[in-house]
């Protein structure tokens, strides 16, 4: 992989990353409208339309469409409703079986709902590569982008309408943005980390595991300081904890903006930040 990265060394980073992203889009677009996986019909027929209907009617409680919560999927794939406003009518079914389906409309609907996910992950791949370049250099950024773009698991995950399709990309970008913040101390990474973390949690509540991991990274940042005087360590700890709580605040605002159900049921926010109703061991509910 290092050899491949070295081939692009004399070119700007944008060229190899552009080629890699183009390959990612090519492979991700294969058979995009020709299959459907388990549970996808719930998102297409019920949950995504329900989310946007809740915004249209002002019934904020109904923006909580799933416990995942899957809001990021609803935000992006919801653009498919512009092309197919009534996806539930694609198939005729009763409580026992599906009897008939309009295959032509089904293919177009799957494309309309899946392409936004593919494009969003391609853009996030560019962001991930940029963050890695800031952290570890261009060779590492190119190698990582290659591994992501040609990973069958990640490419396949991108092709389905499911919270996991966005969890990996938003979560990875949030983690790398936080690492960049600890290394470079640039305030733009506070905002970026908060937005990315909020979108990751809106994808799937397991992204809240990043919160205790961020605290762990703050601790390791203290351990590797050259100046170990008490005054310097207190200053660094105070600065990093301010970063952490700022990120937590921004991510909470992002969640509150796109999941207004928490205005009526604040415990829902607590569940999301704790990793679901049961909570992670570090944040028991």
């Amino acid at each position: 992989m290092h050899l491949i990265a070295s081939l692009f060394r004399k070119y700007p980073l944008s060229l190899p990353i552009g080629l890699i992203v183009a390959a990612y889009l090519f492979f991700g677009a294969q058979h995009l409208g020709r299959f459907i996986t388990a549970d996808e019909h719930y998102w297409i027929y019920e949950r995504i339309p329900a989310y946007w209907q809740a915004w249209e009617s002002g019934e904020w409680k109904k923006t909580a469409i799933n416990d995942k919560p899957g809001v990021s999927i609803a935000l992006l794939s919801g653009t498919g409703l512009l092309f197919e406003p009534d996806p539930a009518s694609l198939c005729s079914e009763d409580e026992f079986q599906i009897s008939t389906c309009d295959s032509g409309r089904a293919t177009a609907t799957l494309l309309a709902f899946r392409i936004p996910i593919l494009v969003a992950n391609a853009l996030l791949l560019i962001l991930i590569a940029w963050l890695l370049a800031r952290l570890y250099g261009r060779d590492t950024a190119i190698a990582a982008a290659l591994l992501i773009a040609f990973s069958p698991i990640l490419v396949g995950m991108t092709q389905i309408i499911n919270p996991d399709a966005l969890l990996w990309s938003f979560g990875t970008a949030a983690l790398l943005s936080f690492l960049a913040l600890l290394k470079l101390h640039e305030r733009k990474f506070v905002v970026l980390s908060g937005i990315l973390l909020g979108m990751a949690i809106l994808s799937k509540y397991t992204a809240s595991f990043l919160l205790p991991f961020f605290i762990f990274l703050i601790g390791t940042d203290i351990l590797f300081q050259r100046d170990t005087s008490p005054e310097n360590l207190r200053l660094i700890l105070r600065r990093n904890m301010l970063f952490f709580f700022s990120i937590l605040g921004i991510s909470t605002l992002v969640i509150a903006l796109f999941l207004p159900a928490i205005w009526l049921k604040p415990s829902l926010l607590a569940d999301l930040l704790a990793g679901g109703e049961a909570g992670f061991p570090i944040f028991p509910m």
Side-chain angles (χ1 to χ4, degrees):
M1 197 62 65
H2 177 75
L3 176 61
I4 296 175
S6 66
L7 295 175
F8 295 107
R9 190 166 295 156
K10 64 179 181 178
Y11 298 103
L13 181 64
S14 57
L15 176 60
I17 296 302
L19 293 174
I20 291 169
V21 170
Y24 175 80
L25 289 170
F26 173 78
F27 288 110
Q30 299 303 305
H31 311 296
L32 203 58
R34 300 182 182 179
F35 70 96
I36 190 166
T37 62
D39 293 341
E40 273 192 291
H41 61 289
Y42 292 119
W43 292 98
I44 299 172
Y45 302 158
E46 300 173 15
R47 295 167 185 167
I48 294 174
Y51 177 81
W52 289 104
Q53 288 165 9
W55 276 98
E56 184 178 2
S57 64
E59 297 180 87
W60 310 124
K61 184 178 180 180
K62 294 184 178 181
T63 57
I65 52 176
N66 190 254
D67 63 338
K68 295 297 185 280
V71 169
S72 297
I73 284 290
L75 286 169
L76 290 171
S77 285
T79 57
L81 293 171
L82 298 173
F83 303 93
E84 178 50 73
D86 187 19
S89 66
L90 293 176
C91 295
S92 300
E93 59 181 296
D94 55 32
E95 59 180 316
F96 300 107
Q97 65 180 358
I98 296 175
S99 55
T100 59
C101 285
D102 186 336
S103 58
R105 284 178 62 204
T107 297
T109 299
L110 288 172
L111 287 173
F113 279 76
R114 285 172 172 166
I115 286 176
I117 300 173
L118 179 65
V119 172
N121 278 313
L123 295 175
L124 285 166
L125 177 55
I126 295 172
L127 176 60
I128 288 169
W130 178 74
L131 289 168
L132 284 168
R134 294 294 306 273
L135 283 165
Y136 307 115
R138 58 178 285 118
D139 284 3
T140 299
I142 293 171
L146 278 169
L147 290 172
I148 292 172
F150 292 98
S151 166
I153 294 175
L154 295 182
V155 173
M157 194 183 302
T158 301
Q159 293 181 312
I160 62 175
I161 304 165
N162 187 279
D164 292 316
L166 292 171
L167 171 66
W168 71 267
S169 47
F170 276 122
T172 300
L175 174 60
L176 292 175
S177 180
F178 187 74
L179 288 172
L181 174 63
L182 293 181
K183 179 180 180 179
L184 304 172
H185 309 146
E186 297 178 13
R187 296 186 183 275
K188 64 184 177 185
F189 291 115
V190 175
V191 178
L192 183 60
S193 299
I195 293 173
L196 292 169
L197 178 62
M199 294 302 294
I201 294 174
L202 284 173
S203 300
K204 195 169 185 178
Y205 53 70
T206 48
S208 62
F209 188 77
L210 288 171
L211 291 172
F213 193 63
F214 284 176
I215 295 175
F216 169 77
L217 290 174
I218 288 173
T220 57
D221 187 49
I222 293 292
L223 292 176
F224 288 99
Q225 293 298 318
R226 293 183 179 180
D227 183 355
T228 58
S229 64
E231 295 79 8
N232 184 59
L233 294 182
R234 280 196 298 268
L235 179 64
I236 293 172
L237 180 61
R238 189 182 305 115
R239 180 197 64 203
N240 289 347
M241 291 306 297
L242 177 61
F243 287 159
F244 174 81
F245 284 110
S246 297
I247 291 169
L248 181 59
I250 293 170
S251 64
T252 300
L253 288 175
V254 171
I255 295 170
L257 176 62
F258 294 114
L259 183 57
I262 69 171
W263 307 342
L264 305 175
K265 188 181 179 182
S267 62
L268 178 60
L269 175 63
D271 290 340
L272 291 177
L273 294 179
E277 291 186 5
F280 287 111
I282 196 170
F283 290 141
M285 297 299 295

